[in-house]
Amino acid sequence: MEHFVVSARKYRPQTFKDVVGQQAITNTLLNAIENNHLAQALLFTGPRGVGKTTCARILAKMINSDGKATGEEDFAFNIFELDAASNNSVDDIRSLTDQVRIPPQVGKYKVYIIDEVHMLSQAAFNAFLKTLEEPPKHCIFILATTEKHKIIPTILSRCQIFDFKRITVRDAKEYLKYIAEEQNITADDDALHIIAQKADGAMRDALSIFDRVVSFSGKDLTRQAVTENLNVLDYETYFESTDLILENKIPELLLQFNNTLSKGFDGQHYIAGLASHFRDLLVSKTPETIELLEVGDETKKKYLEQSQKSSQDFLIQGINIANDCDLKYKSSKNQRLLIELCLMQLASITFDGEKKNSRNFIIPASFFKKKGIKPITVSIPKKDEAKVEPVQQKPSEVQKTPVTENTTSNFKNNDTPKIELKSNLKRTSGLSLKSIKVKKDHEINKIDVVVDEQNLPKEPFTEAELIKTWNEYIDILVNEGKHNLASILSIDTPKVKGTVINLEYPNATNKVELERNQYDLMLYIRKNLNNFDISLSITINEEMEKQYAYTTLEKFEKLKEKNPSIDILRKTFDLDI
């Protein structure tokens, strides 16, 4: 049997032109060799499988051949490779520095390639510093690593750094297509695309996956064979799921998810893929962003077709719901139920039943146009300024609305009636704290609507008249059973300064309680005194609080001041306070 060589070794690039996806770095190195501008210490960093060690070997060969990769001379004796993962001690670095002093026997330079340099110990790094800073003229060091952050800064500052990027899906697919042609293998475009995606930017991984799939399916690579062998969810699964979601078919959607789980796929992988599928559909809706869609040509047509069925609002909301489910998956105790609830929510986004239960109960204008009903404009006055807001209303509903004298004249002169509403249309729960504020605003609005603000009465009054009206209001409160508010109003006698009523209270509790009920009080006083300029000013005097007895002991002390015999009575009969 013929010895099999894996594609990652068989098709390893021999020149810079063969390197996939690193054109910027290879062009820089070629120009540096041609112009004799190459640094003596280079650091190649980047993710695994992107060509760091390969580029280091190609560079090492080209340095001694003046930029021409020819096979006439063998410079293998000038290239030294050191694996820092297994040779990371100080002694290994010392033996390396001893070899550096000897000039090359063939060619101009000795090249030292140190792979996985981040594995060197701290002492080995320190021992390597002096040699790296002032190497002999005949030596060039090429360091390669996947974890640049683990290298000490003093080493980084002495190197010329080249950052290798991940291989794009498009570049990896094109290289796989070239290899498939070399091996006389027919491969679907989508099949190669799935392999390139699965490699996640590493060309070596892509070639390893390619060999595995070829061993499974032979000379004919199909999308179905690739998805079955790699155990990845096919695009068709997500296309079918999205169709079921758009058609609000929840039972079929749950059955499809159960079928997916029965094939051995993870629920989180499914929901994360569904979120990515919604993202791809959103990208497909705009011609400017369609370049972000990294799929095959046949699959791209399917994305474009399904994106026309999906609205942008649905896709954005779907991405949020699916992504939220993905984040909660690890912490959930019932993970399957979590995903099933997510799928039911997705299938309910476009459900007509939810549209009927709108929060604001807004009927669109198109509804009335279809019914042949002319929209009616209703002006709603507000506290600060009159603002006209169009509201759709049926003619039958206009008759139920209370109409003032002004609106009657408007009916005669104008085709569009203007109706003055005295109540707030916004609904508020009566059990919430917000309802208190709404009630106050409602009382203020009633005053502003009933009274003409341009001709408010401002008749003068005396302090005695105010005190008399004040006490009358206290009697009204007592008759209504509001003894707490009546006692608060009785704490201090009101004093008048101009049209301002001044009150002093011992604590903030009394002030807050009075401010909460001041609207009824001020309305009563303004009407009885016939002056709508009257306002209320409340101050807190902490000295007054000492005059009031709250606890049992304080009450006893107050009584003892008025009648000392009470203390004699307590001592005689040994009474408790």
Side-chain angles (χ1 to χ4, degrees):
M1 185 175 67
E2 185 181 354
H3 178 65
F4 174 71
V5 181
V6 295
S7 298
R9 290 182 56 196
K10 184 177 180 180
Y11 296 99
R12 182 187 288 271
Q14 300 300 317
T15 63
F16 280 135
K17 293 181 180 180
D18 300 332
V19 178
V20 179
Q22 309 293 346
Q23 284 78 12
I25 293 175
T26 55
N27 290 339
T28 303
L29 293 175
L30 281 172
N31 292 334
I33 294 172
E34 291 176 1
N35 300 325
N36 196 21
H37 202 267
L38 191 68
Q40 285 192 278
L42 308 173
L43 176 63
F44 292 171
T45 177
R48 56 183 174 79
V50 295
K52 299 185 296 297
T53 307
T54 298
C55 286
R57 290 174 180 174
I58 295 172
L59 179 63
K61 291 179 181 178
M62 296 186 69
I63 287 173
N64 286 314
S65 59
D66 297 328
K68 299 177 182 178
T70 60
E72 297 177 1
E73 295 183 68
D74 187 10
F75 300 105
F77 293 106
N78 292 352
I79 301 173
F80 302 91
E81 285 196 39
L82 179 68
D83 181 18
S86 55
N87 302 281
N88 55 4
S89 64
V90 178
D91 294 335
D92 295 322
I93 297 300
R94 285 176 180 170
S95 64
L96 177 65
T97 55
D98 292 339
Q99 296 178 18
V100 167
R101 301 172 185 172
I102 304 172
Q105 300 300 315
V106 180
K108 297 181 181 180
Y109 297 100
K110 292 177 72 174
V111 183
Y112 291 87
I113 301 173
I114 304 178
D115 205 3
E116 303 297 335
V117 70
H118 66 275
M119 298 293 288
L120 290 177
S121 63
Q122 186 73 23
F125 271 129
N126 294 331
F128 190 43
L129 275 176
K130 191 65 177 176
T131 304
L132 194 64
E133 184 177 13
E134 297 177 359
K137 294 181 179 180
H138 60 266
C139 283
I140 292 179
F141 292 98
I142 304 176
L143 314 181
T145 180
T146 56
E147 302 182 46
K148 184 175 68 173
H149 60 279
K150 290 186 178 180
I151 302 176
I152 59 176
T154 47
I155 293 288
L156 293 176
S157 63
R158 289 166 170 82
C159 297
Q160 194 174 82
I161 302 174
F162 292 87
D163 288 306
F164 283 69
K165 63 180 182 179
R166 291 180 178 273
I167 309 297
T168 62
V169 175
R170 183 178 300 174
D171 290 339
K173 186 179 73 173
E174 291 299 325
Y175 193 64
L176 290 174
K177 188 176 180 180
Y178 161 74
I179 293 175
E181 292 174 354
E182 288 287 321
Q183 298 183 2
N184 296 322
I185 296 173
T186 58
D188 292 346
D189 189 64
D190 287 341
L192 297 178
H193 185 87
I194 293 172
I195 295 174
Q197 271 191 327
K198 188 72 173 177
D200 194 23
M203 196 66 236
R204 184 170 60 237
D205 290 354
L207 294 172
S208 300
I209 295 171
F210 178 79
D211 288 341
R212 191 175 102 193
V213 175
V214 169
S215 300
F216 172 75
S217 60
K219 294 289 184 178
D220 188 16
L221 272 184
T222 61
R223 179 170 55 84
Q224 184 178 359
V226 171
T227 54
E228 185 179 348
N229 183 259
L230 299 182
N231 198 32
V232 296
L233 278 170
D234 193 7
Y235 295 121
E236 292 297 333
T237 303
Y238 294 120
F239 281 119
E240 184 181 349
S241 297
T242 305
D243 286 336
L244 293 174
I245 289 171
L246 292 172
E247 295 170 5
N248 313 117
K249 295 181 178 179
I250 294 178
E252 292 84 348
L253 184 62
L254 296 180
L255 289 174
Q256 191 218 23
F257 174 61
N258 180 69
N259 187 34
T260 303
L261 293 179
S262 65
K263 293 179 181 178
F265 293 104
D266 184 41
Q268 187 176 19
H269 180 61
Y270 171 80
I271 202 67
L274 188 60
S276 299
H277 182 75
F278 288 154
R279 175 260 181 194
D280 292 338
L281 288 175
L282 189 63
V283 164
S284 304
K285 292 187 73 68
T286 310
E288 291 80 4
T289 58
I290 201 169
E291 296 179 358
L292 301 176
L293 193 64
E294 295 183 343
V295 294
D297 294 334
E298 295 181 5
T299 309
K300 185 179 291 186
K301 294 178 182 178
K302 295 182 180 179
Y303 270 105
L304 292 172
E305 182 181 350
Q306 194 172 66
S307 65
Q308 301 302 320
K309 304 177 185 177
S310 313
S311 65
Q312 184 171 345
D313 293 337
F314 163 76
L315 293 174
I316 293 174
Q317 193 173 350
I319 292 172
N320 288 330
I321 293 174
N323 186 54
D324 185 59
C325 178
D326 185 21
L327 295 174
K328 294 178 180 177
Y329 186 85
K330 291 294 184 183
S331 60
S332 175
K333 294 183 179 179
N334 194 340
Q335 296 174 339
R336 175 166 181 162
L337 179 61
L338 177 68
I339 294 181
E340 288 177 342
L341 286 173
C342 173
L343 293 175
M344 287 187 280
Q345 288 178 346
L346 290 171
S348 301
I349 293 176
T350 58
F351 184 53
D352 293 337
E354 288 193 357
K355 292 183 179 179
K356 293 175 183 176
N357 296 328
S358 177
R359 290 183 180 178
N360 300 321
F361 302 96
I362 298 175
I363 303 175
S366 59
F367 173 80
F368 296 99
K369 291 180 179 178
K370 292 179 181 179
K371 298 290 184 180
I373 302 173
K374 184 179 180 181
I376 297 175
T377 304
V378 180
S379 63
I380 304 174
K382 294 188 177 180
K383 180 182 175 182
D384 299 330
E385 58 180 355
K387 184 177 179 182
V388 178
E389 298 182 1
V391 178
Q392 303 294 338
Q393 193 169 6
K394 294 182 179 180
S396 58
E397 294 175 347
V398 176
Q399 298 174 1
K400 298 178 183 178
T401 309
V403 182
T404 61
E405 295 180 358
N406 293 332
T407 57
T408 306
S409 61
N410 288 334
F411 271 116
K412 298 176 182 178
N413 298 328
N414 302 320
D415 293 335
T416 304
K418 294 184 179 179
I419 301 171
E420 184 176 357
L421 303 178
K422 295 185 180 180
S423 61
N424 195 351
L425 297 179
K426 189 175 181 181
R427 297 185 177 183
T428 307
S429 173
L431 298 178
S432 64
L433 294 176
K434 189 177 179 181
S435 63
I436 299 173
K437 183 178 182 302
V438 173
K439 184 178 179 181
K440 293 177 184 177
D441 295 340
H442 176 65
E443 295 296 332
I444 294 174
N445 289 337
K446 286 201 299 185
I447 297 173
D448 294 340
V449 171
V450 173
V451 181
D452 186 3
E453 295 183 357
Q454 301 297 329
N455 300 311
L456 289 172
K458 302 176 183 178
E459 294 185 5
F461 62 94
T462 62
E463 187 171 295
E465 291 174 342
L466 171 64
I467 294 174
K468 180 182 177 182
T469 307
W470 189 273
N471 292 331
E472 289 174 355
Y473 187 73
I474 292 174
D475 293 338
I476 293 173
L477 292 176
V478 172
N479 294 332
E480 292 178 354
K482 299 179 180 179
H483 299 284
N484 186 33
L485 182 58
S487 61
I488 291 175
L489 293 177
S490 303
I491 291 177
D492 189 27
T493 303
K495 301 172 183 63
V496 180
K497 187 175 182 181
T499 57
V500 180
I501 302 175
N502 296 296
L503 293 171
E504 278 189 353
Y505 283 127
N507 53 55
T509 305
N510 296 330
K511 178 182 177 182
V512 172
E513 186 66 25
L514 179 54
E515 287 178 343
R516 189 178 297 171
N517 298 275
Q518 67 175 324
Y519 301 103
D520 294 333
L521 170 65
M522 297 306 297
L523 181 60
Y524 181 83
I525 292 175
R526 288 173 180 175
K527 283 185 176 181
N528 282 273
L529 297 179
N530 206 20
N531 190 323
F532 280 79
D533 270 356
I534 297 175
S535 59
L536 188 64
S537 175
I538 306 171
T539 57
I540 298 175
N541 187 355
E542 295 180 355
E543 295 296 328
M544 289 180 62
E545 190 171 8
K546 299 177 181 179
Q547 300 175 9
Y548 294 90
Y550 296 100
T551 65
T552 308
L553 182 60
E554 290 176 350
K555 293 177 181 177
F556 176 75
E557 294 295 332
K558 291 287 184 182
L559 292 174
K560 190 171 69 173
E561 291 178 3
K562 295 181 179 180
N563 189 355
S565 301
I566 292 178
D567 190 40
I568 299 172
L569 179 65
R570 182 188 68 81
K571 292 178 180 179
T572 302
F573 293 98
D574 194 18
L575 301 175
D576 293 332
I577 299 174

